[in-house]
Amino acid sequence: MTDEREMGGPIRVGVLGARGRMGAEVCKAVDAAADTTLVAAVDQGDELAAVADAGAQVVVDFTTPGVVMDNLRWCIEQGIHAVVGTTGFTEQRLDQVRDWLAGKPGVGVVIAPNFGIGAVLMMQFAARAARHFESVEIIEQHHPRKLDAPSGTATHTARLIAAARAEAGLGPVPDATADEVAGARGADIDGVRVHAVRATGLVAHQEVLFGTTGETLTIRHDSYDRVSFMPGVLVAVRAVGNRPGLTVGLDPLLD
Ligand SMILES: NC(=O)C1=CN([C@@H]2O[C@H](COP(=O)(O)OP(=O)(O)OC[C@H]3O[C@@H](n4cnc5c(N)ncnc54)[C@H](OP(=O)(O)O)[C@@H]3O)[C@@H](O)[C@H]2O)C=CC1
Ligand SMILES: O=C(O)C1=N[C@H](C(=O)O)C[C@H](O)C1
């Protein structure tokens, strides 16, 4: 395994899911940046080995929750750092990745539910606000070709809010609903209701609605274009070779 400093040139990047909406944008961004170079673009049906054969130092994965774990295990085995935007990472999956990494010291993996800088800040602001409001709901809105619901960002936000509420000693969110049509109150993620909207014309959007006596606070983020994720992806590509082990979220890379 090598990193940019050892090679002395641009970081050699392989993209998995390269023909997808995000993967195609990542290929363009990696090509355009002076300090990164695209050496492999792999999609469904292609051999992962192409990435190793091309000497990739970092893999960027925007595939599907169904295949990302196999991809990640392979990258770690090969000693290739990985930046992962694909969703579906439960605590159990994160622990599995930590286990694989324990056998490969020096390999870095960054997994982030959202690479948009504004989205990262939205999650931070929501976590900060959480302790001050008895009510909270999350409304995420995405394009209708998205495979998963609720979004990885909404799930992550709900977990952050739940942790902040627990730390502040807040009880359950008040809700007297007794007679509910299935799904009407959204999904329950760690006690936080999450509503998923899908509509043509949307890209990726999220509102966190807080309420307390006499006031509400809405924190909203909108990605209107997938280029919004690219600065964050490049930050992670540049950092991952110097961050052995697992990093979850972009936050530690932005400090
Ligand atoms: N963290 C973040 O900031 C963001 C995360 N995402 C997440 O990224 C993921 C991808 O999103 P999006 O680009 O919209 O989805 P797409 O469906 O457009 O792209 C996924 C691509 O991966 C391909 N693929 C499937 N299996 C494999 C495999 N085994 N090896 C290589 N490629 C494979 C798909 O091929 P085929 O279509 O033939 O199956 C497709 O081209 C989702 O989980 C999404 O939620 C999205 C945006 C931002
Ligand atoms: O599929 C998408 O488009 C997105 N997926 C990520 C998620 O599930 O949170 C990030 C962003 O919301 C776009």
Side-chain angles (χ1 to χ4, degrees):
M1 180 195 55
T2 53
D3 67 16
E4 188 194 10
R5 291 167 310 172
E6 288 167 286
M7 296 282 285
I11 305 169
R12 299 172 65 81
V13 180
V15 176
L16 306 184
R19 289 194 292 272
R21 287 175 288 271
M22 281 299 290
E25 206 62 54
V26 172
C27 290
K28 281 193 267 176
V30 167
D31 248 350
D35 58 346
T36 57
T37 186
L38 182 67
V39 297
V42 168
D43 206 274
Q44 174 103 275
D46 300 333
E47 290 294 327
L48 273 181
V51 172
D53 293 347
Q57 297 160 287
V58 176
V59 150
V60 179
D61 187 304
F62 281 95
T63 57
T64 70
V67 302
V68 66
M69 290 301 277
D70 286 345
N71 292 346
L72 208 34
R73 181 172 50 192
W74 181 86
C75 288
I76 293 168
E77 276 169 9
Q78 300 295 315
I80 300 173
H81 309 297
V83 171
V84 181
T86 307
T87 45
F89 279 89
T90 57
E91 278 307 318
Q92 196 183 8
R93 281 188 167 205
L94 293 173
D95 282 343
Q96 175 66 81
V97 175
R98 287 186 188 98
D99 275 358
W100 291 333
L101 283 167
K104 280 281 185 180
V107 178
V109 172
V110 174
I111 299 175
N114 200 311
F115 283 97
I117 307 296
V120 172
L121 291 171
M122 173 266 293
M123 288 186 267
Q124 290 179 1
F125 297 157
R128 182 165 175 205
R131 64 177 53 242
H132 301 291
F133 293 86
E134 66 175 8
S135 292
V136 58
E137 306 232 347
I138 297 173
I139 305 100
E140 58 97 323
Q141 305 182 345
H142 282 83
H143 58 95
R145 287 159 75 195
K146 183 166 176 56
L147 297 179
D148 55 320
S151 70
T153 306
T155 301
H156 191 67
T157 311
R159 289 184 187 139
L160 293 175
I161 288 170
R165 288 177 68 89
E167 196 182 303
L170 292 183
V173 173
D175 180 4
T177 307
D179 187 10
E180 180 185 342
V181 174
R185 295 287 294 114
D188 180 333
I189 310 265
D190 289 358
V192 178
R193 293 287 173 169
V194 181
H195 309 269
V197 176
R198 297 290 176 265
T200 300
L202 296 174
V203 177
H205 317 259
Q206 180 166 298
E207 274 184 23
V208 186
L209 170 64
F210 291 101
T212 189
T213 310
E215 63 173 330
T216 62
L217 169 69
T218 303
I219 302 173
R220 181 178 174 104
H221 174 260
D222 297 274
S223 272
Y224 298 107
D225 190 303
R226 289 179 183 82
V227 295
S228 62
F229 303 111
M230 296 307 120
V233 170
L234 290 175
V235 163
V237 165
R238 292 177 184 123
V240 69
N242 298 316
R243 291 188 73 88
L246 176 62
T247 303
V248 179
L250 207 54
D251 311 58
L253 309 186
L254 298 180
D255 292 340

